[in-house]
Amino acid sequence: MSLNDLDERIVHALAEDARRTYADIGAEVGLSAPAVKRRVDRLRERGAITGFTVRVDPSALGWQTEGFIEMYCRSRTSPEDIHRALSHYPEVAAASTVTGEADALVQVFAADMRHFEAVLERIAGEPFVERTKSVLVLSPLLRRYTAGPPL
Amino acid sequence: MSLNDLDERIVHALAEDARRTYADIGAEVGLSAPAVKRRVDRLRERGAITGFTVRVDPSALGWQTEGFIEMYCRSRTSPEDIHRALSHYPEVAAASTVTGEADALVQVFAADMRHFEAVLERIAGEPFVERTKSVLVLSPLLRRYTAGPPL
DNA sequence: TATGAAAACTCTCAATC
DNA sequence: GATTGAGAGTTTTCATA
Protein backbone atom coordinates (compact mmCIF):
# COMPACT_ATOMS: atom_id res chain seq x y z
CA MET A 1 0.00 0.00 0.00
CA SER A 2 1.17 3.46 -0.74
CA LEU A 3 -0.33 6.72 0.35
CA ASN A 4 -0.81 9.49 -2.07
CA ASP A 5 0.85 12.81 -1.54
CA LEU A 6 -2.12 14.36 0.21
CA ASP A 7 -2.41 11.51 2.71
CA GLU A 8 1.28 11.69 3.38
CA ARG A 9 1.13 15.39 4.18
CA ILE A 10 -1.84 14.84 6.47
CA VAL A 11 -0.04 12.08 8.35
CA HIS A 12 3.02 14.29 8.55
CA ALA A 13 0.99 17.09 10.08
CA LEU A 14 -0.56 14.72 12.60
CA ALA A 15 2.83 13.27 13.46
CA GLU A 16 3.97 16.70 14.54
CA ASP A 17 0.84 17.46 16.48
CA ALA A 18 -1.96 14.95 16.67
CA ARG A 19 -4.30 17.46 18.23
CA ARG A 20 -4.17 19.96 15.42
CA THR A 21 -7.58 20.73 14.02
CA TYR A 22 -8.72 19.31 10.73
CA ALA A 23 -9.36 22.83 9.45
CA ASP A 24 -5.79 23.77 10.31
CA ILE A 25 -4.35 20.75 8.56
CA GLY A 26 -6.68 21.36 5.66
CA ALA A 27 -5.36 24.89 5.24
CA GLU A 28 -1.87 23.45 5.00
CA VAL A 29 -2.61 20.74 2.48
CA GLY A 30 -5.34 22.50 0.55
CA LEU A 31 -8.46 20.67 1.67
CA SER A 32 -11.54 21.46 3.69
CA ALA A 33 -11.85 20.17 7.25
CA PRO A 34 -14.37 17.45 6.34
CA ALA A 35 -12.15 16.25 3.51
CA VAL A 36 -9.21 15.92 5.91
CA LYS A 37 -11.33 14.06 8.43
CA ARG A 38 -12.57 11.64 5.82
CA ARG A 39 -9.01 10.87 4.75
CA VAL A 40 -7.93 10.35 8.34
CA ASP A 41 -10.89 8.06 8.93
CA ARG A 42 -9.99 6.06 5.86
CA LEU A 43 -6.35 5.81 6.90
CA ARG A 44 -7.50 4.43 10.24
CA GLU A 45 -9.78 1.91 8.57
CA ARG A 46 -6.97 0.76 6.33
CA GLY A 47 -4.66 0.41 9.30
CA ALA A 48 -2.11 2.94 8.11
CA ILE A 49 -2.94 5.04 11.16
CA THR A 50 -3.33 2.86 14.23
CA GLY A 51 -4.13 5.57 16.73
CA PHE A 52 -3.09 8.76 18.42
CA THR A 53 -0.86 8.97 21.40
CA VAL A 54 0.92 11.31 23.74
CA ARG A 55 4.66 11.88 23.72
CA VAL A 56 5.96 11.48 27.22
CA ASP A 57 9.40 12.49 28.45
CA PRO A 58 10.56 9.47 30.43
CA SER A 59 13.03 11.43 32.50
CA ALA A 60 10.39 14.00 33.42
CA LEU A 61 8.43 11.13 34.88
CA GLY A 62 11.38 9.87 36.83
CA TRP A 63 12.23 7.00 34.52
CA GLN A 64 15.85 7.74 33.88
CA THR A 65 17.33 4.41 32.93
CA GLU A 66 16.97 3.00 29.46
CA GLY A 67 18.61 -0.05 28.00
CA PHE A 68 18.46 -2.78 25.43
CA ILE A 69 18.46 -6.44 26.32
CA GLU A 70 19.44 -9.09 23.82
CA MET A 71 17.68 -12.36 24.53
CA TYR A 72 19.21 -15.70 23.63
CA CYS A 73 16.47 -18.28 23.76
CA ARG A 74 16.23 -22.05 23.86
CA SER A 75 15.74 -23.63 20.49
CA ARG A 76 12.14 -23.99 19.43
CA THR A 77 11.10 -20.86 21.27
CA SER A 78 8.49 -19.17 19.08
CA PRO A 79 8.07 -15.44 18.62
CA GLU A 80 4.68 -15.90 20.24
CA ASP A 81 6.29 -17.31 23.39
CA ILE A 82 8.52 -14.29 23.62
CA HIS A 83 5.67 -11.91 22.96
CA ARG A 84 3.47 -13.56 25.53
CA ALA A 85 6.13 -13.32 28.21
CA LEU A 86 7.23 -9.77 27.49
CA SER A 87 3.79 -8.27 27.17
CA HIS A 88 3.41 -8.62 30.92
CA TYR A 89 6.34 -6.31 31.61
CA PRO A 90 5.27 -2.70 31.84
CA GLU A 91 8.93 -1.73 31.55
CA VAL A 92 9.27 -3.19 28.07
CA ALA A 93 8.77 -0.46 25.48
CA ALA A 94 9.56 -2.51 22.41
CA ALA A 95 10.68 -5.98 21.42
CA SER A 96 11.53 -7.64 18.14
CA THR A 97 12.97 -10.89 16.97
CA VAL A 98 16.17 -10.18 15.08
CA THR A 99 18.79 -11.71 12.84
CA GLY A 100 22.24 -12.38 14.22
CA GLU A 101 23.30 -14.20 17.31
CA ALA A 102 20.57 -13.00 19.63
CA ASP A 103 16.99 -14.08 19.15
CA ALA A 104 15.27 -10.93 20.30
CA LEU A 105 16.10 -7.35 21.12
CA VAL A 106 14.14 -5.73 23.92
CA GLN A 107 14.00 -2.04 24.81
CA VAL A 108 13.44 -1.37 28.48
CA PHE A 109 12.71 1.77 30.49
CA ALA A 110 13.26 1.72 34.22
CA ALA A 111 13.22 4.19 37.04
CA ASP A 112 16.83 3.63 37.96
CA MET A 113 19.65 1.12 37.73
CA ARG A 114 18.24 -1.01 40.54
CA HIS A 115 14.95 -1.23 38.76
CA PHE A 116 16.63 -2.00 35.44
CA GLU A 117 18.58 -4.78 37.04
CA ALA A 118 15.44 -6.24 38.54
CA VAL A 119 13.74 -6.28 35.16
CA LEU A 120 16.81 -7.82 33.58
CA GLU A 121 16.82 -10.59 36.16
CA ARG A 122 13.15 -11.29 35.70
CA ILE A 123 13.57 -11.51 31.94
CA ALA A 124 16.66 -13.67 32.28
CA GLY A 125 14.61 -15.92 34.54
CA GLU A 126 11.94 -16.62 31.94
CA PRO A 127 11.92 -20.35 31.26
CA PHE A 128 12.84 -20.11 27.58
CA VAL A 129 15.71 -17.67 28.10
CA GLU A 130 19.17 -19.15 28.04
CA ARG A 131 21.15 -15.99 28.54
CA THR A 132 20.97 -12.25 27.99
CA LYS A 133 23.32 -9.48 27.07
CA SER A 134 22.45 -5.89 27.73
CA VAL A 135 23.59 -2.40 26.95
CA LEU A 136 22.57 0.75 28.75
CA VAL A 137 21.66 3.96 27.00
CA LEU A 138 23.99 6.81 27.87
CA SER A 139 22.34 9.64 25.95
CA PRO A 140 19.20 9.37 23.89
CA LEU A 141 20.37 11.39 20.88
CA LEU A 142 17.32 11.26 18.72
CA ARG A 143 13.83 9.91 18.98
CA ARG A 144 11.25 10.28 16.28
CA TYR A 145 7.98 9.38 17.83
CA THR A 146 6.05 8.09 14.90
CA ALA A 147 7.74 4.73 15.47
CA GLY A 148 7.72 4.26 11.79
CA PRO A 149 9.05 5.47 8.52
CA PRO A 150 10.00 9.03 7.83
CA LEU A 151 7.02 11.04 6.73
CA MET B 1 9.51 14.47 39.51
CA SER B 2 6.67 12.11 40.06
CA LEU B 3 3.12 12.38 38.91
CA ASN B 4 0.30 11.84 41.24
CA ASP B 5 -2.20 9.13 40.60
CA LEU B 6 -4.65 11.40 38.80
CA ASP B 7 -2.01 12.73 36.42
CA GLU B 8 -0.87 9.23 35.72
CA ARG B 9 -4.34 8.08 34.80
CA ILE B 10 -4.80 11.09 32.54
CA VAL B 11 -1.53 10.41 30.75
CA HIS B 12 -2.50 6.77 30.46
CA ALA B 13 -5.80 7.72 28.86
CA LEU B 14 -4.04 10.03 26.41
CA ALA B 15 -1.47 7.37 25.61
CA GLU B 16 -4.26 5.10 24.45
CA ASP B 17 -6.03 7.78 22.47
CA ALA B 18 -4.63 11.27 22.32
CA ARG B 19 -7.73 12.63 20.67
CA ARG B 20 -10.12 11.64 23.43
CA THR B 21 -12.01 14.59 24.79
CA TYR B 22 -11.24 16.08 28.17
CA ALA B 23 -14.78 15.39 29.30
CA ASP B 24 -14.38 11.75 28.36
CA ILE B 25 -11.12 11.42 30.22
CA GLY B 26 -12.60 13.32 33.13
CA ALA B 27 -15.46 10.85 33.37
CA GLU B 28 -12.92 8.06 33.66
CA VAL B 29 -10.73 9.64 36.28
CA GLY B 30 -13.41 11.52 38.17
CA LEU B 31 -12.75 15.11 37.19
CA SER B 32 -14.51 17.78 35.17
CA ALA B 33 -13.28 18.53 31.68
CA PRO B 34 -11.66 21.85 32.62
CA ALA B 35 -9.87 20.18 35.51
CA VAL B 36 -8.42 17.60 33.12
CA LYS B 37 -7.36 20.30 30.69
CA ARG B 38 -5.61 22.25 33.42
CA ARG B 39 -3.66 19.17 34.44
CA VAL B 40 -2.70 18.40 30.85
CA ASP B 41 -1.58 22.02 30.36
CA ARG B 42 0.50 21.78 33.51
CA LEU B 43 2.06 18.50 32.39
CA ARG B 44 3.02 20.12 29.10
CA GLU B 45 4.54 23.10 30.88
CA ARG B 46 6.56 20.82 33.11
CA GLY B 47 7.79 18.89 30.11
CA ALA B 48 6.29 15.58 31.19
CA ILE B 49 4.10 15.66 28.08
CA THR B 50 6.08 16.83 25.08
CA GLY B 51 3.38 16.58 22.46
CA PHE B 52 0.83 14.44 20.70
CA THR B 53 1.46 12.24 17.74
CA VAL B 54 -0.04 9.70 15.43
CA ARG B 55 0.75 6.00 15.52
CA VAL B 56 1.64 4.85 12.05
CA ASP B 57 1.95 1.27 10.88
CA PRO B 58 5.24 1.26 8.98
CA SER B 59 4.33 -1.76 6.88
CA ALA B 60 1.02 -0.17 5.89
CA LEU B 61 3.05 2.67 4.46
CA GLY B 62 5.30 0.32 2.57
CA TRP B 63 8.27 0.57 4.92
CA GLN B 64 8.81 -3.06 5.63
CA THR B 65 12.42 -3.29 6.66
CA GLU B 66 13.56 -2.39 10.13
CA GLY B 67 16.94 -2.85 11.69
CA PHE B 68 19.40 -1.72 14.29
CA ILE B 69 22.85 -0.46 13.45
CA GLU B 70 25.63 -0.43 16.01
CA MET B 71 28.08 2.37 15.32
CA TYR B 72 31.72 2.10 16.29
CA CYS B 73 33.21 5.57 16.14
CA ARG B 74 36.65 7.12 16.09
CA SER B 75 37.91 8.18 19.46
CA ARG B 76 36.96 11.70 20.43
CA THR B 77 33.68 11.53 18.54
CA SER B 78 31.17 13.43 20.63
CA PRO B 79 27.51 12.54 21.04
CA GLU B 80 26.81 15.87 19.34
CA ASP B 81 28.74 14.79 16.25
CA ILE B 82 26.69 11.63 16.04
CA HIS B 83 23.47 13.48 16.58
CA ARG B 84 24.31 16.08 13.97
CA ALA B 85 25.07 13.44 11.38
CA LEU B 86 22.09 11.19 12.07
CA SER B 87 19.49 13.91 12.28
CA HIS B 88 19.77 14.33 8.52
CA TYR B 89 18.65 10.77 7.86
CA PRO B 90 14.89 10.52 7.55
CA GLU B 91 15.23 6.75 7.93
CA VAL B 92 16.64 7.01 11.45
CA ALA B 93 13.85 6.57 13.98
CA ALA B 94 15.98 6.60 17.11
CA ALA B 95 19.59 6.76 18.18
CA SER B 96 21.39 6.60 21.51
CA THR B 97 24.91 6.40 22.76
CA VAL B 98 25.30 3.18 24.69
CA THR B 99 27.57 1.27 27.02
CA GLY B 100 29.43 -1.76 25.73
CA GLU B 101 31.59 -2.16 22.68
CA ALA B 102 29.56 -0.04 20.29
CA ASP B 103 29.33 3.70 20.71
CA ALA B 104 25.82 4.19 19.48
CA LEU B 105 22.75 2.16 18.61
CA VAL B 106 20.61 3.39 15.74
CA GLN B 107 17.15 2.23 14.80
CA VAL B 108 16.40 2.45 11.09
CA PHE B 109 13.25 2.01 9.03
CA ALA B 110 13.55 1.45 5.33
CA ALA B 111 11.29 0.57 2.46
CA ASP B 112 13.10 -2.65 1.63
CA MET B 113 16.42 -4.39 1.96
CA ARG B 114 17.97 -2.40 -0.85
CA HIS B 115 17.02 0.80 0.86
CA PHE B 116 18.25 -0.44 4.23
CA GLU B 117 21.57 -1.34 2.70
CA ALA B 118 21.89 2.10 1.15
CA VAL B 119 21.25 3.74 4.52
CA LEU B 120 23.74 1.44 6.18
CA GLU B 121 26.39 2.34 3.64
CA ARG B 122 25.76 6.04 4.02
CA ILE B 123 26.03 5.79 7.79
CA ALA B 124 29.14 3.64 7.56
CA GLY B 125 30.60 6.28 5.29
CA GLU B 126 30.27 9.09 7.83
CA PRO B 127 33.74 10.42 8.56
CA PHE B 128 33.74 9.53 12.27
CA VAL B 129 32.45 5.98 11.79
CA GLU B 130 35.05 3.24 11.94
CA ARG B 131 32.76 0.28 11.47
CA THR B 132 29.20 -0.83 11.93
CA LYS B 133 27.39 -3.98 12.86
CA SER B 134 23.75 -4.41 12.12
CA VAL B 135 20.87 -6.69 12.87
CA LEU B 136 17.60 -6.85 11.02
CA VAL B 137 14.24 -7.08 12.69
CA LEU B 138 12.39 -10.26 11.84
CA SER B 139 9.11 -9.67 13.68
CA PRO B 140 8.23 -6.58 15.66
CA LEU B 141 6.69 -8.34 18.67
CA LEU B 142 5.70 -5.39 20.75
CA ARG B 143 5.78 -1.64 20.42
CA ARG B 144 4.48 0.71 23.04
CA TYR B 145 4.26 4.06 21.43
CA THR B 146 4.68 6.34 24.37
CA ALA B 147 8.43 5.94 23.96
CA GLY B 148 8.73 6.13 27.67
CA PRO B 149 7.97 4.48 30.92
CA PRO B 150 4.98 2.29 31.51
CA LEU B 151 1.94 4.29 32.40
C1' DT C 1 -15.07 8.24 -5.64
C1' DA C 2 -13.91 12.48 -3.93
C1' DT C 3 -14.99 17.22 -2.79
C1' DG C 4 -16.94 21.70 -0.43
C1' DA C 5 -20.66 24.16 2.02
C1' DA C 6 -23.72 24.30 5.58
C1' DA C 7 -26.06 22.80 9.64
C1' DA C 8 -26.22 20.47 13.94
C1' DC C 9 -23.83 18.83 17.41
C1' DT C 10 -19.89 18.58 20.63
C1' DC C 11 -15.89 20.28 22.77
C1' DT C 12 -12.73 23.76 24.50
C1' DC C 13 -11.36 27.09 27.50
C1' DA C 14 -11.37 31.38 30.14
C1' DA C 15 -14.04 33.51 33.67
C1' DT C 16 -16.22 32.85 37.86
C1' DC C 17 -17.46 30.75 42.16
C1' DG D 1 -11.89 21.69 41.62
C1' DA D 2 -16.84 22.63 39.51
C1' DT D 3 -19.97 25.34 36.68
C1' DT D 4 -21.03 28.27 33.03
C1' DG D 5 -21.31 30.06 28.33
C1' DA D 6 -19.37 31.91 24.15
C1' DG D 7 -16.44 30.60 20.68
C1' DA D 8 -14.21 26.89 18.15
C1' DG D 9 -14.01 22.35 16.26
C1' DT D 10 -16.17 18.11 14.67
C1' DT D 11 -19.15 15.43 12.10
C1' DT D 12 -23.17 14.51 9.28
C1' DT D 13 -25.86 15.68 5.41
C1' DC D 14 -26.36 17.10 0.93
C1' DA D 15 -25.25 18.81 -3.57
C1' DT D 16 -21.68 18.61 -7.02
C1' DA D 17 -18.12 17.10 -10.20
Side-chain angles (χ1 to χ4, degrees):
Chain A
M1 182 202 306
S2 172
L3 304 188
N4 68 29
D5 187 53
L6 231 35
D7 288 330
E8 212 165 288
R9 289 163 69 195
I10 290 170
V11 173
H12 182 72
L14 287 170
E16 282 179 353
D17 180 5
R19 286 186 79 102
R20 274 182 78 180
T21 68
Y22 293 134
D24 202 25
I25 295 168
E28 189 175 304
V29 305
L31 285 178
S32 65
V36 173
K37 181 194 184 299
R38 278 191 293 259
R39 279 174 180 269
V40 171
D41 288 344
R42 189 152 33 85
L43 289 167
R44 297 193 71 162
E45 278 167 22
R46 281 198 274 163
I49 289 177
T50 59
F52 300 95
T53 193
V54 63
R55 291 200 291 245
V56 175
D57 178 1
S59 64
L61 295 173
W63 291 72
Q64 305 190 330
T65 305
E66 179 186 353
F68 289 87
I69 300 176
E70 288 179 356
M71 291 173 65
Y72 295 78
C73 301
R74 281 222 291 261
S75 59
R76 302 226 304 287
T77 301
S78 70
E80 290 72 31
D81 292 333
I82 301 175
H83 177 261
R84 210 179 351 260
L86 292 179
S87 62
H88 299 139
Y89 291 78
E91 295 88 353
V92 170
S96 307
T97 53
V98 291
T99 61
E101 291 167 49
D103 295 297
L105 186 59
V106 183
Q107 185 186 18
V108 168
F109 281 90
D112 52 32
M113 205 63 84
R114 234 182 99 73
H115 184 185
F116 186 87
E117 190 175 8
V119 174
L120 178 60
E121 281 171 5
R122 269 167 56 220
I123 289 177
E126 292 286 344
F128 56 81
V129 175
E130 286 193 327
R131 62 195 177 89
T132 63
K133 193 173 148 187
S134 59
V135 298
L136 284 162
V137 166
L138 296 171
S139 309
L141 298 175
L142 203 140
R143 225 195 288 282
R144 298 209 176 97
Y145 289 87
T146 42
L151 297 168
Chain B
M1 181 202 306
S2 172
L3 303 188
N4 68 29
D5 187 53
L6 231 36
D7 287 330
E8 212 165 289
R9 289 164 67 195
I10 290 170
V11 174
H12 182 71
L14 286 171
E16 284 181 349
D17 180 4
R19 285 187 78 102
R20 275 182 77 178
T21 68
Y22 294 133
D24 202 24
I25 296 168
E28 187 176 306
V29 305
L31 287 177
S32 66
V36 174
K37 181 193 184 296
R38 276 195 297 266
R39 280 174 179 266
V40 171
D41 287 345
R42 212 174 322 128
L43 288 167
R44 297 194 72 162
E45 278 166 24
R46 282 198 273 164
I49 288 177
T50 59
F52 300 95
T53 194
V54 62
R55 290 199 291 245
V56 175
D57 178 359
S59 65
L61 294 173
W63 291 72
Q64 305 190 330
T65 306
E66 179 186 354
F68 290 87
I69 300 176
E70 289 180 355
M71 291 172 65
Y72 296 76
C73 301
R74 282 222 291 260
S75 60
R76 302 226 304 288
T77 301
S78 71
E80 289 74 29
D81 292 333
I82 301 174
H83 176 262
R84 209 177 354 256
L86 293 179
S87 62
H88 299 138
Y89 290 79
E91 294 89 353
V92 170
S96 308
T97 54
V98 292
T99 63
E101 291 167 51
D103 296 296
L105 187 59
V106 183
Q107 185 185 20
V108 169
F109 281 90
D112 51 32
M113 205 62 85
R114 233 181 101 73
H115 184 186
F116 186 87
E117 191 175 9
V119 174
L120 177 59
E121 281 172 7
R122 269 166 57 220
I123 289 177
E126 292 286 344
F128 56 82
V129 175
E130 286 194 328
R131 62 195 178 90
T132 64
K133 192 172 149 188
S134 60
V135 298
L136 283 162
V137 166
L138 296 170
S139 308
L141 298 173
L142 203 138
R143 225 196 286 282
R144 298 209 175 97
Y145 290 85
T146 43
L151 297 168

